Amino acid sequence: MLNRRLPYILGALACLCGGAAQAQNPIVTNQFTADPTARAFNGRVYVYPSHDIRATPGHGRAGWFVMEDYHVFSSANLTEWTDHGVIVTQNKVPWVKPDSYSMWAPDCMFRNGKYYFYFPTTPRDTTISKGFTVGVAVSDKPTGPFVPQPLPIKGVRGIDPNVFIDKDGQAYLYWSQGNIYGAKLKENMLELASEPKTLGELPTKGLKEGPYLFERNGTYYLTYPHVENKTERLEYATSTSPLGLFTVKGVIMDESPTGCWTNHHSLLEFKNQWYLFYHHNDLSPAFDKNRSVRIDSLFFKPDGSIQKVIPTLRGVGLTDAKQKIQLDRYSRLSSSGANIAFLDTANKFQGWKTVFANNQGWVQYNGVAFGKQALKTVTLRTMAAAGATVQLRADGATGPVLAQVTVPKGSQWQEIKAPLSAFKPGTHTLVVSSKTNTPVEIDWVKFE
């Protein structure tokens, strides 16, 4: 996997050339990603997000969303993600204004042996549209190369395209522009087959955008971000048909507790579990126009209603004990004696660290797969100016002590290896705690 501590320039090269991305939340830490649409093709999950970048002179509008291209990421286990590189860029689409930097939330759908990638942006020809419209790029593979169509879809003005194919084979396109709209698509997936319908039974006050529709047990769920108060929260409505009438049912995810103004999402069932893909500004806490994609598990109640999703740092999937375990993406953290900080505030793509202030600090990380074959050592990337002692346990305070590690004095990061005093096969929680009253910092933990 891509080392989270590579210099920024290497991260930028990975953005261009493809490579591995991170697990836990956010799932990508070497670039900004937002507005994720997740699709399962041939037993693998593909995430099609938008790609936030920072504005520079002559490249985008300062203080606003700046997006010039799209990447696609894929995973077989929702833990190890591969960046397949750029699949569509603004200056290689015939109808797109090449300096618009407005390649916003996309979608992708498979039909008739082809992959259809839908994306909104600003056309160079204002007679096509004075605002956003939606185009399509087509490929033989989910990772491209994608060939953009020469013109956008006629009759669509807006952003956030979402495609749904019903059980009878009829395809639908949804999008937003003040309201949320839906229309049938022709068999060729490139043209509307009906006039757009305004889904006007949704909330009338507050911005609505980002539609994502799916069907489950005969019920059609229309999900969307909505500004009920100050920032977007994720809501849903249900119907017995793809174009409504819809009945508003409730909230999938509350507003961001830290004030990230947008949220944008998709839902996916994969290997008999539902997941919510969404975004937050983890890697840019002071500027919410640079977002990062997250995943959390989603559950339905017996009556078909959606149980509200509480955002986590841990995310989903199992972490191999032999990989670097990022404790800062914790499941639980002590209320005193421990906190999370960026490794480098000047380059947040390097990720985070866990900081123990004293012997009251501990962190719990769920879902570590230790396997069957006995592991013998543990390595910590750690730093303690005055020295410290760190303890690792499996399954909490009553579980076996895996190791007690002495961290030598030093003001630089060190990789300290220590023998394991116990091994417990299978999948367990990992609890790491400080046993001394001197500060100690941990970047990652790895077993061998």
Side-chain angles (χ1 to χ4, degrees):
M1 297 182 70
L2 192 68
N3 191 313
R4 291 168 67 180
R5 275 136 302 277
L6 285 173
Y8 175 79
I9 189 167
L10 291 185
L13 286 173
C15 295
L16 293 173
C17 303
Q22 296 299 312
Q24 299 108 43
N25 282 333
I27 64 169
V28 179
T29 58
N30 68 334
Q31 60 186 280
F32 297 118
T33 51
D35 311 320
T37 293
R39 299 292 185 187
F41 300 131
N42 301 316
R44 192 171 180 89
V45 174
Y46 294 81
V47 173
Y48 299 86
S50 53
H51 180 200
D52 292 336
I53 60 174
R54 294 187 177 99
T56 57
H59 299 84
R61 170 183 160 191
W64 193 238
F65 303 102
V66 182
M67 309 174 186
E68 64 180 347
D69 58 31
Y70 297 100
H71 289 236
V72 58
F73 300 82
S74 73
S75 175
N77 57 13
L78 302 181
T79 300
E80 298 167 289
W81 290 90
T82 298
D83 178 3
H84 298 279
V86 174
I87 56 172
V88 173
T89 185
Q90 65 182 9
N91 58 12
K92 293 185 179 179
V93 181
W95 58 269
V96 172
K97 185 181 179 185
D99 60 349
S100 57
Y101 293 92
S102 57
M103 309 290 274
W104 288 15
D107 195 359
C108 189
M109 183 59 70
F110 175 77
R111 185 163 207 176
N112 300 328
K114 300 285 186 182
Y115 295 87
Y116 296 86
F117 180 75
Y118 298 81
F119 59 96
T121 191
T122 307
R124 68 168 78 223
D125 183 354
T126 56
T127 62
I128 294 176
S129 175
K130 293 183 179 180
F132 280 76
T133 189
V134 172
V136 189
V138 185
S139 174
D140 294 326
K141 299 178 180 179
T143 56
F146 282 89
V147 178
Q149 297 298 295
L151 291 171
I153 301 175
K154 186 177 180 180
V156 177
R157 183 175 182 270
I159 60 174
D160 302 339
N162 165 240
V163 177
F164 170 74
I165 300 178
D166 206 358
K167 295 185 294 292
D168 63 2
Q170 177 62 60
Y172 296 82
L173 177 68
Y174 302 85
W175 67 96
S176 58
Q177 185 70 48
N179 290 299
I180 292 177
Y181 302 89
K184 292 182 179 180
L185 278 172
K186 291 184 178 179
E187 180 74 16
N188 65 12
M189 303 294 283
L190 303 174
E191 302 171 87
L192 296 186
S194 68
E195 289 296 315
K197 178 183 179 182
T198 303
L199 307 182
E201 58 270 32
L202 304 178
T204 55
K205 294 179 65 177
L207 176 68
K208 301 177 296 296
E209 57 179 357
Y212 187 87
L213 188 130
F214 67 96
E215 181 271 337
R216 178 181 180 270
N217 297 338
T219 297
Y220 297 86
Y221 292 76
L222 177 62
T223 65
Y224 51 92
H226 173 222
V227 181
E228 173 69 20
N229 297 302
K230 294 182 178 180
T231 64
E232 290 184 341
R233 68 185 190 189
L234 302 181
E235 301 178 2
Y236 76 104
T238 61
S239 177
T240 57
S241 66
L243 293 175
L245 296 170
F246 285 94
T247 301
V248 175
K249 290 293 186 178
V251 176
I252 301 171
M253 179 175 282
D254 288 327
E255 297 179 351
S256 162
T258 60
C260 183
W261 193 86
T262 65
N263 201 352
H264 190 113
H265 69 294
S266 58
L267 292 87
L268 177 71
E269 185 181 22
F270 183 64
K271 296 183 179 179
N272 299 314
Q273 172 63 51
W274 283 86
Y275 297 96
L276 178 70
F277 293 72
Y278 63 104
H279 71 228
H280 197 258
N281 60 324
D282 296 271
L283 289 166
S284 178
F287 182 58
D288 64 358
K289 307 302 185 292
N290 289 159
R291 289 79 50 88
S292 296
V293 168
R294 290 178 167 194
I295 314 172
D296 275 302
S297 298
L298 178 141
F299 300 92
F300 292 85
K301 297 177 182 178
D303 64 359
S305 60
I306 297 175
Q307 183 174 310
K308 188 181 292 185
V309 176
I310 306 301
T312 75
L313 295 176
R314 174 60 184 87
V316 301
L318 297 179
T319 299
D320 189 334
K322 292 178 285 187
Q323 301 292 329
K324 292 174 181 177
I325 303 167
Q326 306 290 346
L327 299 175
D328 47 76
R329 308 295 85 193
Y330 61 85
S331 302
R332 295 177 62 206
L333 187 73
S334 59
S335 58
S336 62
N339 65 81
I340 306 302
F342 283 105
L343 282 163
D344 182 353
T345 56
N347 178 12
K348 296 182 176 66
F349 286 137
Q350 290 193 29
W352 299 267
K353 60 186 176 182
T354 306
V355 181
F356 299 101
N358 52 48
N359 62 6
Q360 301 301 306
W362 56 266
V363 61
Q364 176 179 313
Y365 187 101
N366 292 354
V368 178
F370 286 87
K372 296 179 180 180
Q373 185 174 353
L375 302 174
K376 297 179 180 180
T377 63
V378 63
T379 301
L380 284 68
R381 186 173 191 263
T382 182
M383 177 169 57
T389 300
V390 174
Q391 186 180 87
L392 295 86
R393 285 183 178 267
D395 299 327
T398 60
V401 176
L402 302 178
Q404 191 129 319
V405 182
T406 299
V407 181
K409 296 180 181 180
S411 57
Q412 301 295 323
W413 287 102
Q414 308 175 69
E415 292 187 14
I416 306 300
K417 181 177 286 190
L420 295 186
S421 56
F423 172 76
K424 195 173 183 181
T427 299
H428 304 282
T429 62
L430 174 65
V431 177
V432 179
S433 60
S434 172
K435 309 311 286 185
T436 46
N437 267 321
T438 52
V440 58
E441 301 180 359
I442 298 177
D443 183 5
W444 48 257
V445 172
K446 181 174 69 173
F447 294 86
E448 293 176 298

